[in-house]
Amino acid sequence: MQNSDNNPGFEAGLRQPLTSEERVRLRAEIERNPALKEALTEDVALNACLRQLSTKPLSSNFTHQVLCAIQQDARPARQPRTLFQWLDWPWRYHGMARATVVGVTLLCIGLSMQVYQNRSRVRYARSVAEMGRVSNVLNPEVLKDFEAIYRLQQVPVAVDEELLAALQ
């Protein structure tokens, strides 16, 4: 319907019956443009159907309701979120919350490392103190006679087997 948009007589005919003069002009227009005849028959049929509908008063916010319905139809259907998406969602949109979580995590890691280092230092200090007490009890000359201790490990295996046989 290219010419129907510019033809005020055509629009008037859709709203009310045409006068004889308007009918003559419309027939001349249809003879010049055959595609207009198809469009005119479609529009006339649509108007006839619309006239058959009962007239009900529209609500005061009818336009708003129509626009909301259009927006809801235009929105894509919501996909169910996975567990990772569910956990990640609040942090994605709040940069300050994300920075807070990162800061608390780094703080916990730093404190854990500090506690670990302190405990290992305490363990090392206790072992040094224990060695100090042992060195006071042991005579250094006992440690000088290491040759006797070394020879104890080189006992022949046959002696052990004889001892085992004797104990059984």
Side-chain angles (χ1 to χ4, degrees):
M1 275 188 40
Q2 302 148 349
N3 295 337
S4 65
D5 294 339
N6 300 333
N7 191 346
F10 180 76
E11 289 180 14
L14 294 176
R15 291 185 179 77
Q16 62 191 9
L18 293 174
T19 62
S20 62
E21 187 180 298
E22 289 173 337
R23 277 189 220 133
V24 170
R25 273 191 274 152
L26 186 58
R27 284 184 189 138
E29 187 72 32
I30 290 172
E31 287 175 6
R32 279 185 273 162
N33 189 356
L36 184 62
K37 184 175 184 178
E38 293 175 19
L40 179 64
T41 55
E42 287 177 7
D43 284 342
V44 168
L46 177 64
N47 280 334
C49 290
L50 289 174
R51 282 187 193 117
Q52 291 175 358
L53 293 174
S54 63
T55 57
K56 292 183 181 177
L58 296 176
S59 64
S60 60
N61 64 346
F62 175 75
T63 306
H64 176 71
Q65 290 175 356
V66 169
L67 292 176
C68 287
I70 290 171
Q71 286 177 351
Q72 285 178 352
D73 288 344
R75 276 190 224 140
R78 248 185 148 173
Q79 298 293 329
R81 294 188 294 179
T82 61
L83 179 64
F84 177 73
Q85 290 170 336
W86 185 77
L87 292 174
D88 185 49
W89 178 76
W91 310 114
R92 180 177 297 167
Y93 299 106
H94 304 292
M96 192 63 152
R98 184 183 290 165
T100 303
V101 168
V102 168
V104 168
T105 303
L106 290 175
L107 181 68
C108 288
I109 291 171
L111 288 175
S112 298
M113 289 177 62
Q114 186 68 30
V115 167
Y116 176 76
Q117 286 178 352
N118 286 344
R119 286 185 180 173
S120 64
R121 287 177 184 154
V122 166
R123 245 185 259 133
Y124 182 71
R126 285 182 183 160
S127 66
V128 168
E130 188 70 27
M131 283 301 292
R133 277 190 271 145
V134 169
S135 66
N136 288 339
V137 173
L138 286 178
N139 193 358
E141 292 180 15
V142 172
L143 296 176
K144 287 181 184 176
D145 195 16
F146 187 71
E147 186 69 28
I149 297 171
Y150 181 71
R151 285 189 187 166
L152 286 175
Q153 292 177 353
Q154 296 178 350
V155 176
V157 177
V159 174
D160 287 341
E161 289 176 6
E162 290 174 8
L163 180 63
L164 181 61
L167 289 174
Q168 290 177 355

